[in-house]
Every structure is written in C-alpha cells, then in structure tokens.
C-alpha cells in the first residue's frame, strides 16, 4: 500500500513534473504559436496532434539532456527519459491541448488561457509521477 501523504515525495514529484512541463510546453506552445501566425489550411486536430508530438519530442530531449549531465551516458539517459516519463508526458500534453480547445475553441495561445493550460498539464500527471517515485523509487531527474 502506498502512502499518499509523504511531503518529500510530493516535492520531488512536483519538481520532476515541472521539468517535464517545461519540455512539453516548448514544443507544444511553439507549434501552436507558429500555426497561429501563418496562413494555413490545417484543422485544429491536425495542429494539436503535431503540437503534442513536438511537445513529446522537446520534453524527451530536455530530459535526456538533464539525465546525460547526471549519468554521462547518452544511451542510458535517453532510455530513462523515454521509459519513465512518457506516460506522464502524454497525459500532460493531452490535458494542455484539451484545455486549450475548451477555453479558446481551437489551437490558440492567449495570455489568459496559458496559465490554465499549464495548470492542467502539471496537475494531470503529478499523481502518476508521485506513484512511480513512491512505489519504484524511479523518477526522470
């Protein structure tokens, strides 16, 4: 049975989740911003799908870089980044993009929607990250 009351684990899980959020946001927001500022014929679903893929890629890249600095072995760093945080990243990306569509009606970055997107992206995977850390003592940082 896992205890859900460990403040230390919640703190560590929160820091790990924030790093993941940073990585996901770079690719996700960059993609949405790009399409928001060019003429295109893409649908909201197509843009969001690409934004999610780019968010996953930038998050994996950032986490691989962080782990590489700690481990010094690129292959191991990549395996950790992809293996322990991919589910977290997918949940994070889905939450951010669903929130964007609900609030703005499409793939649109607005100053007032971004905090809600970031909050949804943070809170959605946090329990999973806590669980992984508590049960397996595994984290991506």
């Amino acid at each position: 049975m896992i205890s859900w009351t460990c403040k230390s684990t919640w703190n560590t899980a929160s820091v790990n989740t924030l790093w993941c959020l940073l990585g996901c946001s770079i690719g996700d927001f960059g993609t949405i911003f790009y399409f928001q500022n060019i003429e295109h014929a893409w649908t909201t679903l197509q843009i969001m799908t690409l934004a999610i893929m780019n968010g996953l890629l930038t998050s994996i890249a950032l986490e691989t870089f962080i782990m590489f600095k700690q481990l010094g072995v690129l292959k191991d760093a990549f395996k950790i980044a992809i293996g322990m945080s991919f589910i977290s990243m997918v949940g994070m990306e889905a939450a951010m993009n669903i929130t964007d569509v609900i609030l703005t009606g499409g793939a649109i970055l607005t100053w007032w929607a971004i905090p809600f997107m970031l909050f949804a992206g943070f809170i959605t995977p946090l329990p999973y990250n806590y669980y992984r850390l508590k049960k397996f003592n595994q984290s991506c940082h």
Side-chain angles (χ1 to χ4, degrees):
M1 178 66 98
I2 292 178
S3 167
W4 291 92
T5 59
C6 179
K7 289 181 183 180
S8 174
T9 305
W10 279 115
N11 288 338
T12 302
S14 295
V15 169
N16 293 346
T17 303
L18 284 172
W19 277 111
C20 187
L21 184 63
L22 174 64
C24 283
S25 296
I26 292 168
D28 192 305
F29 289 174
T31 302
I32 295 170
F33 183 76
Y34 173 77
F35 279 96
Q36 191 172 320
N37 289 289
I38 65 161
E39 292 291 325
H40 63 84
W42 286 46
T43 66
T44 297
L45 181 59
Q46 290 171 322
I47 295 168
M48 290 302 193
T49 301
L50 183 60
I52 288 171
M53 290 188 310
N54 287 340
L56 293 171
L57 290 173
T58 54
S59 186
I60 291 167
L62 177 64
E63 292 185 34
T64 299
F65 174 74
I66 292 167
M67 291 308 302
F68 177 71
K69 286 185 74 173
Q70 292 177 8
L71 301 175
V73 180
L74 187 59
K75 183 179 177 182
D76 293 344
F78 178 75
K79 285 168 110 176
I80 290 170
I82 198 92
M84 291 199 293
S85 56
F86 193 73
I87 291 171
S88 176
M89 288 184 276
V90 169
M92 178 177 288
E93 282 291 334
M96 289 170 57
N97 286 281
I98 289 167
T99 302
D100 187 24
V101 171
I102 289 170
L103 294 178
T104 67
I108 304 167
L109 290 180
T110 60
W111 66 269
W112 60 268
I114 289 172
F116 293 103
M117 293 169 67
L118 291 172
F119 178 76
F122 175 76
I123 205 71
T124 299
L126 184 59
Y128 174 78
N129 292 341
Y130 178 96
Y131 168 80
R132 292 281 302 189
L133 190 58
K134 199 70 174 165
K135 181 161 183 157
F136 303 111
N137 195 30
Q138 292 179 333
S139 68
C140 50
H141 303 290

